[in-house]
Amino acid sequence: METITLYNGVVMPLVGLGTFKIDDAAAGEANIIDAIHCGYRLLDTAQAYGNEEIVGKAVKRSGVDRHELFLTTKIWYRSFESPDCEKSVEASLRKLGTDYLDLLLLHWPYGNIYNAWRTLEKLYQAGTVRAIGVSNFMESQLLDLLEFNDVAPAVDQVETHLRCQYPSLHALLRERGIAHQAYSPFGRFKDPTMFTAPAITAISEKYGKTPQQIALRFFTQDGISVVPKSMRRERLLANKDLFDISLTDEEMTALRQMNSDLYLIGNSQDGAFTKAFFAR
């Protein structure tokens, strides 16, 4: 498994397991254990997923030492106020069965972001968290956070797939030394044309990889960490079988041109999305 080194020296796998909607205790635990046995070391969860206990039990039962794993969770924006923020992290640690986190993110840029970020800074300085970051922060939100706080995010985890590459955000992250991490790198298969477009199928045929593998290789070759989800062993194996090929500059350009700024999950700076988000 290839890795990326965050600006503070913490080493993070380029490919991890997303656990959104893995909420059945028995099946979810078995799936995560299987992923670990397949070689996954980065496990991505969140308070809002309601499965931190499932992840924690899977880690314990996997037989793999905790220090070999990279655990990420995210604080839900409703817990950003004091003292809820720190208490929510303590609860996450209990559920995950660990005394430290490798990466802790603010899940959405809503609510009392600045109080929450300073809580993360405190936990980072105390060594409870090895790296801190954000999720779903767009350029202006990220720049605002950077301007008024002492510790920069190590990671910004955002919806990123071939139709939604956020090139200007990616450029800003690279400029500031912040790792770009892609959640839903397949767009949750909401766009049926994403993996049938000639630009990707031609590359897929050339290398004998699936279009989904080509998409993941495109991102990882550009230094973007990915956290795809799968409940099937063959796909777990395929999603990490990426590093025996290297795309050409022309192929990377062709895949970049598939971007249409089409977000399929949600953009925190879209008023209609945010209004619907708060109405849930």
Side-chain angles (χ1 to χ4, degrees):
M1 175 67 69
E2 291 193 7
T3 60
I4 185 172
T5 301
L6 306 180
Y7 75 75
N8 64 351
V10 169
V11 176
M12 182 175 74
L14 267 174
V15 179
L17 178 72
T19 65
F20 178 64
K21 288 196 173 179
I22 294 181
D23 49 17
D24 178 273
E29 193 174 323
N31 172 233
I32 295 165
I33 291 171
D34 197 23
I36 293 171
H37 290 170
C38 285
Y40 284 80
R41 291 298 178 262
L42 190 165
L43 305 175
D44 179 85
T45 184
Q47 294 172 355
Y49 298 173
N51 63 11
E52 289 173 317
E53 286 185 351
I54 295 172
V55 174
K57 288 178 181 177
V59 167
K60 186 175 181 180
R61 286 187 52 209
S62 72
V64 174
D65 189 274
R66 161 70 183 94
H67 297 291
E68 293 184 29
L69 300 172
F70 191 102
L71 293 184
T72 299
T73 195
K74 311 174 196 73
I75 304 174
W76 191 236
Y77 73 100
R78 295 289 186 188
S79 295
F80 283 0
E81 297 288 348
S82 291
D84 294 345
C85 192
E86 195 158 357
K87 286 181 178 179
S88 79
V89 177
E90 291 169 359
S92 290
L93 290 167
R94 286 195 301 272
K95 291 174 182 178
L96 288 164
T98 184
D99 58 1
Y100 74 96
L101 293 164
D102 296 282
L103 179 62
L104 181 60
L105 308 178
L106 301 186
H107 204 156
W108 285 91
Y110 302 131
N112 196 343
I113 297 163
Y114 303 100
N115 177 71
W117 187 252
R118 284 158 192 162
T119 299
L120 263 62
E121 289 182 330
K122 176 182 172 184
L123 293 168
Y124 174 64
Q125 298 295 348
T128 306
V129 181
R130 298 177 66 221
I132 57 177
V134 294
S135 181
N136 299 299
F137 276 56
M138 297 295 109
E139 291 163 81
S140 64
Q141 297 157 330
L142 187 64
L143 287 166
D144 187 41
L145 191 73
L146 287 165
E147 183 69 20
F148 296 103
N149 291 280
D150 295 329
V151 181
V155 173
D156 189 4
Q157 185 189 99
V158 293
E159 172 190 354
T160 309
H161 45 77
L162 291 172
R163 298 298 190 196
C164 183
Q165 298 180 32
Y166 288 125
S168 58
L169 173 63
H170 181 62
L172 174 64
L173 294 174
R174 178 164 286 177
E175 174 191 327
R176 296 302 182 100
I178 300 168
H180 182 167
Q181 189 170 64
Y183 75 78
S184 298
F186 304 143
R188 297 183 190 165
F189 296 98
K190 292 184 176 184
D191 178 358
T193 70
M194 191 183 301
F195 298 112
T196 60
I200 193 166
T201 56
I203 301 171
S204 170
E205 290 170 7
K206 173 184 172 181
Y207 291 103
K209 298 286 187 182
T210 67
Q212 289 84 1
Q213 287 175 303
I214 295 299
L216 294 178
R217 185 61 184 126
F218 166 66
F219 291 123
T220 56
Q221 190 166 315
D222 205 24
I224 298 173
S225 172
V226 294
V227 287
K229 171 198 169 185
S230 180
M231 299 286 286
R232 294 168 56 181
R233 170 173 267 262
E234 62 268 27
R235 288 184 181 170
L236 287 171
L237 291 168
N239 287 345
K240 60 186 285 294
D241 181 23
L242 313 173
F243 301 108
D244 57 341
I245 65 169
S246 182
L247 304 180
T248 67
D249 290 344
E250 292 78 12
E251 290 162 347
M252 293 290 286
T253 297
L255 293 173
R256 286 192 184 98
Q257 290 173 348
M258 287 185 64
N259 177 56
S260 59
D261 297 323
L262 174 67
Y263 56 86
L264 300 169
I265 314 302
N267 183 316
S268 59
Q269 291 192 317
D270 181 312
F273 168 78
T274 301
K275 183 177 179 181
F277 187 93
F278 288 149
R280 292 175 185 174

